[in-house]
Amino acid sequence: MADKLIIFDTTLRDGEQSPGASMTKDEKLRIARQLERLKVDVIEAGFAASSNGDFEAVQAIANTIKDSTICSLSRANDRDISRAAEALKGANRARIHTFIATSPLHMEKKLRMTPEQVLEQAKLAVRFARNQVADVEFSPEDGYRSEIDFLCRVLEAVIKEGATTLNIPDTVGYAVPELYGEFIRTLREKIPNSDKAIWSVHCHNDLGMAVANSLAGVKIGGARQIECTINGLGERAGNCSLEEIVMAVKTRRDYFGLEVGIDTTQIVPASRMVSQTTGFVVQPNKAVVGANAFAHASGIHQDGVLKARDTYEIMRAEDVGWSANKIVLGKLSGRNAFKQRLQDLGVALESETELNTAFARFKELADRKSEIFDEDILALVNDESITSEKEQYGFVSLAQHSETGEKPHATIVFTVEGKEVHGESDGNGPVDASLKAIESHIKSGAEMVLYSVNAISGSTESQGEVTVRLQNSGRVVNGVGADPDIVVASAKAYLSALNKLHSKADRVAAQG
Ligand code: KIV
Ligand code: ZN
């Protein structure tokens, strides 16, 4: 039997550390459900001690998710570890992931601790964590730039204290594949009790080598857990991308000889959900989940694929969740067909009320757009107003006028806590006028730090999906809106961002 490769997803912790990618508890829960459908082995749900918001998110995920192990990050101190243990109480399987930096630079400049103090704290932390849960992961932060003999002493000691997984982070993305793989192999060879723990890799993508480094850690180093994020989300250049790792190991099983438990048909829905929630758009040429990942433009390639698919395709689009038959529904489709399509796409709405709301939105859309694609359906059900409780602001209607040589003007009607209000404004263009019309009433004082439009299914008949990122008093939020009219989509995205900005939820991103 082939060895199992454990997939540890840290989209909700390390991924969320990306500036602008912070998520609400509801958003994290929605993504955690999708990660469970994807069958990831471990979900790092957050950093419970970093904020009340993160504590609540970890707790909600631990209480809800049944099939994956739920993990919380914690620094190597009793307070953090106790918070993590408390948040994880409801989990079927709980893991505490504790870390402390071990590189000379981090110990001296950041921690201002001697190596002996770091060693002692690492041992105490793992001992304390093992008294709370049976599954304890230890990470020497900036491990790859640590002095190897010291690292061996730390890792040998934490294994003795009961660490069950040892993770070797390339925190700053400095590694190259062969050297990283050999680094892990050397650690495993030098540490006498190394066979008592599972070895894990955690690579950042600063030099674009996170996936290659992680695979080398597995192939050369013998690691059996990979830490990764959906779409490679993460600080700076991001983390190792889950979809690339999983498809590399599956497609080249002949080389890696490993099993992964992932349901790959859930990859594209997961990618879309994360991109929609965070506003981090997936580049078209991104491997596996980019819009062009399976598109053949050149005549020679198209001809080849038509004759025999494997002339130019090494994976099947439908195996990673791209639908083979893209036109799915229209205005005559009924509730059952809609429900069935949601099931085929792996979308599980939690209640009949949510299904009814989604179906009503689908009917409205089908009245305006003759062909409804899978992407339209996913955008529709990813709209948080379907699953969230009452929202403060809601879109009602918009009228705008723009003509060459004239200043565009917009009038908007929206609800504030259920009551209709009107706003109007001129602007540089119709979108600008519409958003200023909202602001004429709300006066949020927020600064817009990102505005992006994406055609959901390619053509000009497609829905426009707009992301708006707002910043106010140190808080950064993303709003997303979809509509065949991009000015309306923009207004919906702006209201969605304001809903998050003005919600009471604590959205402080975790720091690791
Ligand atoms: O990159 C890193 O070092 C981390 C650790 C906290 C595991 O994210
Ligand atoms: Zn990291």
Side-chain angles (χ1 to χ4, degrees), residues 15 18 47 53 95 119 149 213 268 274 282 298 301 309-311 326:
S18 186
F47 182 173
R95 174 180 297 188
L119 170 65
D149 288 335
N213 288 337
V268 168
V274 169
V282 175
S298 102
H301 287 203
R309 220 173 148 156
D310 52 3
T311 48
K326 291 193 119 205

Side-chain angles (χ1 to χ4, degrees), residues 163-239:
T164 43
T165 299
L166 296 181
N167 180 46
I168 310 300
D170 176 23
T171 303
V172 291
Y174 180 70
V176 292
E178 228 181 321
L179 297 183
Y180 182 70
E182 277 163 11
F183 189 70
I184 291 176
R185 183 167 64 194
T186 309
L187 289 173
R188 289 182 57 231
E189 282 168 1
K190 280 186 147 206
I191 296 173
N193 52 0
S194 65
D195 59 332
K196 304 273 183 304
I198 292 170
W199 289 73
S200 166
V201 291
H202 178 111
C203 298
H204 282 267
N205 203 32
D206 299 66
L207 294 173
M209 290 188 278
V211 170
N213 288 337
S214 303
L215 291 172
V218 168
K219 184 71 183 171
I220 304 172
R224 287 295 176 267
Q225 172 177 286
I226 294 190
E227 304 200 350
C228 47
T229 60
I230 303 288
N231 299 338
L233 187 72
E235 255 183 306
R236 309 185 307 275
N239 282 69

Side-chain angles (χ1 to χ4, degrees), residues 13-14 73 97 99 139 141-142 167 169 171 202 204 227 512:
R13 197 280 297 172
D14 212 332
L73 186 69
H97 176 192
F99 75 99
S139 285
E141 192 192 7
D142 206 18
N167 180 46
T171 303
H202 178 111
H204 282 267
E227 304 200 350

Side-chain angles (χ1 to χ4, degrees), residues 9-23 28 31 202-205 210 227-244 270-271 273-282 286 289 469 478:
D9 180 279
T10 183
T11 306
L12 301 176
R13 197 280 297 172
D14 212 332
E16 201 214 16
Q17 281 175 218
S18 186
S22 68
M23 300 170 223
K28 284 188 158 198
I31 291 174
H202 178 111
C203 298
H204 282 267
N205 203 32
E227 304 200 350
C228 47
T229 60
I230 303 288
N231 299 338
L233 187 72
E235 255 183 306
R236 309 185 307 275
N239 282 69
C240 170
S241 134
L242 179 145
E243 55 280 3
E244 293 178 22
S271 163
M273 189 182 281
V274 169
S275 157
Q276 255 233 334
T277 307
T278 58
F280 280 62
V281 175
V282 175
K286 167 86 172 63
V289 293
R469 185 171 301 152
N478 291 304

Side-chain angles (χ1 to χ4, degrees), residues 32-232:
R33 287 196 182 104
Q34 179 59 26
L35 293 174
E36 187 181 38
R37 285 193 278 276
L38 191 59
K39 297 196 193 322
V40 307
D41 301 289
V42 186
I43 298 174
E44 188 162 51
F47 182 173
S50 70
S51 69
N52 289 339
D54 236 40
F55 178 90
E56 284 168 19
V58 175
Q59 191 174 49
I61 292 168
N63 290 343
T64 309
I65 301 300
K66 297 291 163 241
D67 297 340
S68 312
T69 295
I70 306 303
C71 172
S72 171
L73 186 69
S74 78
R75 280 165 298 198
N77 64 55
D78 293 3
R79 183 195 162 266
D80 269 29
I81 295 169
S82 303
R83 282 297 272 172
E86 202 185 328
L88 291 168
K89 257 188 199 141
N92 267 1
R93 280 185 297 277
R95 174 180 297 188
I96 292 176
H97 176 192
T98 187
F99 75 99
I100 188 163
T102 53
S103 66
L105 190 64
H106 277 227
M107 289 191 291
E108 189 196 325
K109 301 276 191 261
K110 187 180 87 168
L111 298 177
R112 297 180 202 281
M113 286 169 76
T114 65
E116 293 312 311
Q117 287 171 325
V118 167
L119 170 65
E120 211 40 44
Q121 194 160 326
K123 280 162 54 180
L124 289 174
V126 170
R127 194 181 307 159
F128 188 71
R130 268 306 300 260
N131 286 334
Q132 322 279 326
V133 294
D135 186 350
V136 172
E137 174 169 330
F138 175 77
S139 285
E141 192 192 7
D142 206 18
Y144 181 65
R145 292 195 302 171
S146 301
E147 198 267 305
I148 196 148
D149 288 335
F150 174 63
L151 192 54
C152 286
R153 284 177 63 210
V154 173
L155 296 176
E156 184 182 347
V158 297
I159 297 173
K160 282 192 187 138
E161 295 297 342
T164 43
T165 299
L166 296 181
N167 180 46
I168 310 300
D170 176 23
T171 303
V172 291
Y174 180 70
V176 292
E178 228 181 321
L179 297 183
Y180 182 70
E182 277 163 11
F183 189 70
I184 291 176
R185 183 167 64 194
T186 309
L187 289 173
R188 289 182 57 231
E189 282 168 1
K190 280 186 147 206
I191 296 173
N193 52 0
S194 65
D195 59 332
K196 304 273 183 304
I198 292 170
W199 289 73
S200 166
V201 291
H202 178 111
C203 298
H204 282 267
N205 203 32
D206 299 66
L207 294 173
M209 290 188 278
V211 170
N213 288 337
S214 303
L215 291 172
V218 168
K219 184 71 183 171
I220 304 172
R224 287 295 176 267
Q225 172 177 286
I226 294 190
E227 304 200 350
C228 47
T229 60
I230 303 288
N231 299 338

